[in-house]
Amino acid sequence: MPTKNRVKVYIADTYYHLYNRGWNRTEIFRENEDYEYFEWLLTRHLSTLPVVDTKGREYRHLRSDIDLLAYCLMPNHFHMLVYQREDHAISQLMSSVLTAYTMYFNRKYKRRGSLFESTYKAVPILEDAQLLHITRYIHLNHTEYKTWLYSSYDDYLKAPREWIYPGAILELFSSKLHYKEFVDDYEAMQRERDRIKAELANS
């Protein structure tokens, strides 16, 4: 029986929470350059204009097929929220990004084999309440989320980068300040819950 959240049959015009972590929970990002390269891989498929390689060949341009609404890169895992218009868009984006990043990482750190624990997970988001919560969950992944460089949190408070589309979430709030309060108000409760979970796990 297929493992939960691994069945890759996607529905067009649907939001999905995508996530994965390193093999045996090892780091997939060791230096700032690693985070930045992963972001560039997203950019090359999601920028408003096609991106070309060193030989002038265009990378697959998916901007019309999929939007990246939110993301957070952590040392040993990542989260993304996307909206796909075409049922093939997630598979194309993730296959290209994760394959290219694994090749980059293995070459840089002189290793071989799989980098990620398994096939990435994908959870459809079908209700507005889920949609709001998942962006908050993603942005709060890092304890220093207000200053963490490798997430989309700042794109929600300032002018977003052109390959990130927070509009679908922000239009559910009266202002960007309202969204900031929505995230900040939940932080203390989430941190306390995480502390209790850790204590129970270690008891």
Side-chain angles (χ1 to χ4, degrees), residues 92-107:
Q92 291 181 343
L93 177 66
M94 298 303 286
S95 175
S96 179
V97 169
L98 299 187
T99 298
Y101 186 75
T102 298
M103 292 174 63
Y104 154 85
F105 192 91
N106 284 355
R107 183 171 59 250

Side-chain angles (χ1 to χ4, degrees), residues 137 140-141 143 187-201:
Y137 169 78
L140 285 174
N141 242 244
T143 55
E187 180 192 11
M189 181 170 65
Q190 178 164 306
R191 301 304 178 217
E192 178 64 13
R193 185 181 63 184
D194 291 345
R195 183 187 66 78
I196 293 171
K197 184 190 296 185
E199 288 179 354
L200 291 174

